[in-house]
Amino acid sequence: MTSPVSYELVDEIGVITVDNPPVNALSHAVRQGIHDAIAAAQEDASKAVLIVCEGRTFIAGADITEFGKPPKEPHLPDLCNTIEASSKRVVAALHGTALGGGLEVALSCHDRCAVPGAKLGLPEVKLGLLPGAGGTQRLPRLIGASAALDLMTSGNPVDAGQAAKLGLVDHVVDGELRDAALAWCRELIAKDAERRRTSELTVEDVPAGALEEYRKALARRTRGQIAPQKIVDCVEAALTRPFAEGLQIEREKFLECMQSPQSAALRHMFFAEREAAKVRGLASDTPLREMNKVGVIGAGTMGSGIAMNFANAGMQAVLLEVDDEALGRGFGIIDRNYQGGVKRGKMSEEQALACRGRISGTTDYESFSDVDLVIEAVFENLELKQEVFAKLDAVCRQGTILATNTSYQDVDRIAAATKRPQDVIGLHFFSPAHIMKLLEVVRAEKTADDVLATCMALAKKIRKTPVVSGVCYGFIGNRMLGHYAREAQLCVIEGATPEQVDTALEEWGMAMGPLAVFDLAGLDVGYKARQGLPEAERGDPRAFRVADALVEMGRLGQKTGAGFYRYDPKIRQRSSDPEVQTLIEREAALLGVEQREIDSEEIVDRLMFALVNEGINILDEGIAQRPGDIDVVYVYGYGFPAWRGGPMHYADAVGLAHVLQRIREFEQRFGPENWTPAPLLEKLVESGITLAEWAKSKGN
Ligand code: 3H9
């Protein structure tokens, strides 16, 4: 097998070229190749060595697919030490994304140059890890402890310009990288510039107590996660111990992270997100429809946010409303969102203006005669949506993709309102639509392959994470949420306070407890959705008694200053409300439910296993393609902690047998209406395989 690393002498410079597509990850063959080339350079006529990569990027990190397999020499930390110890100057030439182990290789080089567009970062924390090839020891020595901590605990990259300011890059090159880097190497040789080994630098001290302060703030920001604090431990070692000892400490902490369930969950999420973008049975060469101009119907919070996504990606967006007043309100939302983005440093004033300039308004359906895609975001009502689609069928040119942003309605029935059901699809955005990453792409019975392929590609263009769902009430996310929401509210009727339920889930890792989420979304949303359903389909009436009563009292959630909680009008902080407690007790008495103490374990298990059980039904019915897709939906759309890997990964992690046992207990205690074990769960437990193994056996 040919090596992915080649070595050649170009005049007096030994050039090491890594060519390991797609991202030049440091597989064993790459490590070996660099190691051999550095050894060769010690013996030949080279005066300096250049490490450069082919393809779209410099080395983007260790090869994650090798994690968990028996490690093979040369190990990456040793390779980095070998590079740094080289008797010949070693220069790294960076382009694309120099990440993780890739940046650690660059840090062990004596000089670094980069093209202006290069991004440099240590994203290990996003995989539940820490930089494990000397990064935690070299980075603070090079750029100072404080900047190093920020870079490593956030995992976010910096561009070449910022990197140069930090001292992470020595030279930003113009023109073609390889030639420019060779020219710079010649300059360094000619100047006989001092060779700097990062490990020999001293770390500038930090003020007393600064690390402790940093730890506390970090703990608040990264609640529940272990890797960020271990990064601080390593930086502390860099500040207080000799380099070699620091490396040892880094190694220990790296291995602890690598073996942690948190890292397993985050690595699962990394691959699940990429898998989710692939649609089973869809040929990779499916032609894509051209997408330049998008129409959006409805300029409420949702429609306005949706339009911004396309404008931000450089596309034209036309917003349609019933009259100018409604359009004005929509543009008001858009302007506030852009101003907020500028204030938070997400974009410059000029960028915001340019994006805003790509959104126009109309009150006339005829304006949609030349759009490539329409997304309908009107009120959740099937008849209304069918009317809208019939109108679109009349005005849009052939080939326009007609999408609905419905959260619940039957996309097949919406498609049937047109004469072109093959062009109809669901594109379910999550609120706030210009921020939330998840996009459920609902494949209806007759959706054409090229429509689906185009929407998946479009999702990437507007920086969303798409997950394909089949048609059912609520699709993947909201169908499962219905079960989670039911248990949250039953816990309340049975005696837990709203605060207790939310705190239990938040301490477990959810971004926000369920009842606080309902208050944020508006209790009237669920209320109206229930009113739109036949009584038999509304679910357990005991579950919604309190929420319905709150709506009838005018307590719609945060927007009215009160819902399950009372809200401080200035800072929107929630506080328990005795009035709600009285209401709960009254409703429980009316329902004949005897209230009792409920502990956090029961609350968490009931909510989580309700999610898991329905998720498994969804898989069994083929609504979701694979368990990882469900995890992506929950992590990117519902505030599920990524470090727990989504509900399906969580079920595998705690053991499906345990999940089934708990569900059977709940069936005994609370009845089979709400608690019937998913048949696939029973089958998997019987055959002793995990959901991940089951998915693999199905070719996922
Ligand atoms: C580390 O370095 C540990 C060290 O500190 C210590 C060790 C001792 N390995 O994302 P894309 C695959 S930890 C293996 O769609 P993009 C990916 O699965 C690592 N495979 O492209 C996908 O495969 P497929 C620290 C990898 O252009 C394909 O490449 N580094 C790796 O949107 C294309 O990926 C990171 O965490 C990898 N490291 O984004 C960086 N990376 O086509 C992780 C990617 O079969 N990577 N693949 O689905 C990324 O952030 C993005 O992939 C990147 C490109 C920004 C590089």
Side-chain angles (χ1 to χ4, degrees):
M1 226 175 72
T2 53
S3 168
V5 180
S6 61
Y7 179 66
E8 61 175 336
L9 263 181
V10 177
D11 304 327
E12 53 196 2
I13 301 163
V15 180
I16 301 178
T17 307
V18 180
D19 186 7
N20 185 31
V23 297
N24 287 316
L26 285 157
S27 63
H28 174 247
V30 171
R31 298 196 304 276
Q32 188 67 56
I34 299 178
H35 178 271
D36 294 349
I38 294 283
Q42 308 309 302
E43 309 295 329
D44 65 20
S46 60
K47 292 199 176 144
V49 179
L50 177 68
I51 303 181
V52 65
C53 291
E54 285 293 341
R56 64 195 213 214
T57 182
F58 189 76
I59 302 164
D63 187 337
I64 308 171
T65 60
E66 284 184 1
F67 289 177
K69 296 183 188 158
K72 278 199 210 162
E73 288 182 353
H75 303 306
L76 191 55
D78 299 336
L79 176 64
C80 288
N81 291 341
T82 303
I83 295 171
E84 193 178 55
S86 164
S87 63
K88 311 275 173 80
R89 168 189 295 281
V90 187
V91 177
L94 314 180
H95 76 293
T97 44
L99 300 178
L103 185 59
E104 291 175 296
V105 165
L107 286 172
S108 59
C109 293
H110 308 111
D111 311 274
R112 286 154 292 279
C113 65
V115 292
K119 294 243 160 65
L120 291 76
L122 291 169
E124 284 86 345
V125 73
K126 296 187 179 177
L127 298 170
L129 298 172
L130 49 87
T136 65
Q137 303 306 297
R138 286 193 178 92
L139 193 64
R141 285 176 163 79
L142 198 62
I143 68 170
S146 157
L149 274 170
D150 288 346
L151 209 69
M152 292 190 286
T153 59
S154 73
N156 295 331
V158 290
D159 63 28
Q162 292 164 290
K165 274 193 207 131
L166 286 171
L168 186 52
V169 155
D170 306 297
H171 181 51
V172 179
V173 303
D174 287 326
E176 202 272 324
L177 176 63
R178 190 181 155 103
D179 289 346
L182 280 169
W184 188 51
C185 282
R186 286 187 196 105
E187 258 178 61
L188 292 169
I189 295 169
K191 274 198 281 194
D192 195 17
E194 191 201 344
R195 187 153 12 110
R196 191 174 51 161
R197 291 198 168 96
T198 313
S199 65
E200 290 169 3
L201 304 174
T202 44
V203 199
E204 96 330 315
D205 214 356
V206 295
L211 271 191
E212 272 329 293
E213 280 310 306
Y214 197 90
R215 277 185 196 283
K216 278 190 213 149
L218 187 63
R220 284 193 294 273
R221 221 172 53 233
T222 59
R223 191 161 45 94
Q225 296 177 56
I226 58 169
Q229 294 294 333
K230 288 192 194 285
I231 289 173
V232 187
D233 295 343
C234 292
V235 171
E236 190 167 21
L239 283 160
T240 53
R241 313 277 185 104
F243 183 76
E245 263 181 54
L247 275 191
Q248 243 170 25
I249 291 170
E250 178 192 88
R251 188 80 204 140
E252 279 161 31
K253 309 258 169 207
F254 177 80
L255 292 176
E256 283 166 20
C257 286
M258 180 65 101
Q259 281 144 16
S260 71
Q262 293 195 359
S263 177
L266 286 161
R267 281 181 272 137
H268 156 76
M269 284 310 301
F270 177 83
F271 290 112
E273 184 183 341
R274 281 153 186 82
E275 274 296 298
K278 297 170 192 160
V279 185
R280 260 204 323 245
L282 192 68
S284 57
D285 59 354
T286 306
L288 303 182
R289 296 191 189 181
E290 200 166 323
M291 289 286 121
N292 298 310
K293 191 170 177 187
V294 177
V296 179
I297 307 175
T301 315
M302 205 55 183
S304 304
I306 291 174
M308 288 175 70
N309 284 295
F310 297 98
N312 295 353
M315 298 168 71
Q316 297 296 320
V318 191
L319 259 182
L320 183 136
E321 257 300 350
V322 285
D323 54 32
D324 287 337
E325 207 185 317
L327 266 182
R329 277 197 300 272
F331 280 110
I333 297 172
I334 290 172
D335 289 339
R336 277 195 299 281
N337 285 345
Y338 277 126
Q339 280 154 15
V342 171
K343 230 190 252 163
R344 288 197 308 278
K346 297 276 175 209
M347 54 170 59
S348 67
E349 191 85 46
E350 296 75 50
Q351 284 167 327
L353 273 173
C355 292
R356 170 66 178 79
R358 290 188 204 106
I359 309 176
S360 56
T362 184
T363 52
D364 183 0
Y365 269 81
E366 288 298 330
S367 310
F368 284 169
S369 59
D370 65 342
V371 296
D372 305 301
L373 161 73
V374 182
I375 302 174
E376 160 280 306
V378 302
F379 183 66
E380 278 295 344
N381 175 291
L382 182 63
E383 288 78 41
L384 178 62
K385 288 183 190 277
Q386 286 172 324
E387 258 170 51
V388 167
F389 272 72
K391 271 192 211 155
L392 290 175
D393 199 15
V395 298
C396 293
R397 62 165 175 73
Q398 286 305 312
T400 300
I401 296 179
L402 309 180
T404 169
N405 175 53
T406 181
S407 315
Y408 291 98
Q409 308 296 335
D410 185 334
V411 184
D412 290 327
R413 290 175 70 187
I414 295 175
T418 73
K419 288 190 257 349
R420 40 173 129 172
Q422 74 282 359
D423 292 339
V424 177
I425 194 165
L427 291 179
H428 181 207
F429 289 79
F430 287 71
S431 190
H434 62 299
I435 291 176
M436 294 293 283
K437 278 198 75 180
L438 178 64
L439 181 67
E440 269 183 329
V441 178
V442 185
R443 182 185 206 168
E445 199 193 335
K446 299 198 171 135
T447 305
D449 279 2
D450 66 335
V451 169
L452 183 59
T454 303
C455 289
M456 295 303 280
L458 188 64
K460 191 156 184 178
K461 184 164 176 186
I462 61 170
R463 296 162 160 243
K464 297 285 173 202
T465 302
V467 175
V468 175
S469 171
V471 174
C472 64
Y473 187 77
F475 316 119
I476 298 174
N478 281 344
R479 173 168 157 187
M480 288 169 66
L481 191 72
H483 295 257
Y484 174 85
R486 178 198 69 224
E487 287 307 310
Q489 296 179 85
L490 283 176
C491 284
V492 166
I493 275 288
E494 289 168 30
T497 63
E499 188 64 49
Q500 221 189 321
V501 172
D502 283 343
T503 306
L505 271 296
E506 285 159 6
E507 282 178 353
W508 183 86
M510 294 297 288
M512 207 187 221
L515 304 164
V517 170
F518 302 152
D519 273 358
L520 179 65
L523 296 176
D524 50 328
V525 178
Y527 183 84
K528 281 184 203 147
R530 278 191 292 284
Q531 303 299 314
L533 285 174
E535 197 136 347
E537 287 172 33
R538 287 184 195 167
D540 188 337
R542 292 171 305 158
F544 308 110
R545 277 289 277 270
V546 172
D548 285 354
L550 289 170
V551 171
E552 281 151 16
M553 288 159 73
R555 300 180 64 122
L556 308 185
Q558 283 202 17
K559 61 186 162 191
T560 56
F564 276 101
Y565 298 95
R566 183 156 290 287
Y567 292 88
D568 181 311
K570 282 200 198 89
I571 50 169
R572 292 210 217 154
Q573 179 141 5
R574 74 185 189 216
S575 57
S576 302
D577 189 339
E579 201 182 332
V580 176
Q581 204 44 46
T582 311
L583 168 74
I584 293 168
E585 283 161 22
R586 194 189 69 212
E587 291 297 327
L590 286 171
L591 288 163
V593 175
E594 199 174 315
Q595 294 213 305
R596 64 188 166 89
E597 291 264 324
I598 304 184
D599 63 23
S600 298
E601 190 187 344
E602 177 180 332
I603 294 171
V604 170
D605 279 3
R606 283 174 66 175
L607 272 69
M608 281 304 140
F609 296 151
L611 267 187
V612 169
N613 202 42
E614 196 57 13
I616 295 178
N617 280 327
I618 281 174
L619 278 174
D620 205 10
E621 291 167 28
I623 297 290
Q625 300 190 92
R626 38 182 103 81
D629 283 19
I630 296 180
D631 292 334
V632 172
V633 166
Y634 263 79
V635 168
Y636 288 113
Y638 293 86
F640 200 100
W643 53 269
R644 289 206 189 258
M648 300 291 106
H649 177 88
Y650 175 66
D652 272 349
V654 294
L656 293 186
H658 172 71
V659 174
L660 179 59
Q661 180 213 322
R662 286 296 268 165
I663 291 178
R664 285 193 175 133
E665 268 173 53
F666 296 148
E667 185 182 21
Q668 287 281 316
R669 284 173 63 192
F670 307 121
E673 297 78 23
N674 293 337
W675 289 102
T676 302
L680 177 61
L681 173 61
E682 291 181 315
K683 250 191 267 170
L684 294 180
V685 171
E686 220 168 88
S687 41
I689 63 169
T690 62
L691 281 161
E693 286 161 345
W694 172 80
K696 224 178 187 175
S697 74
K698 301 217 130 215
N700 273 316

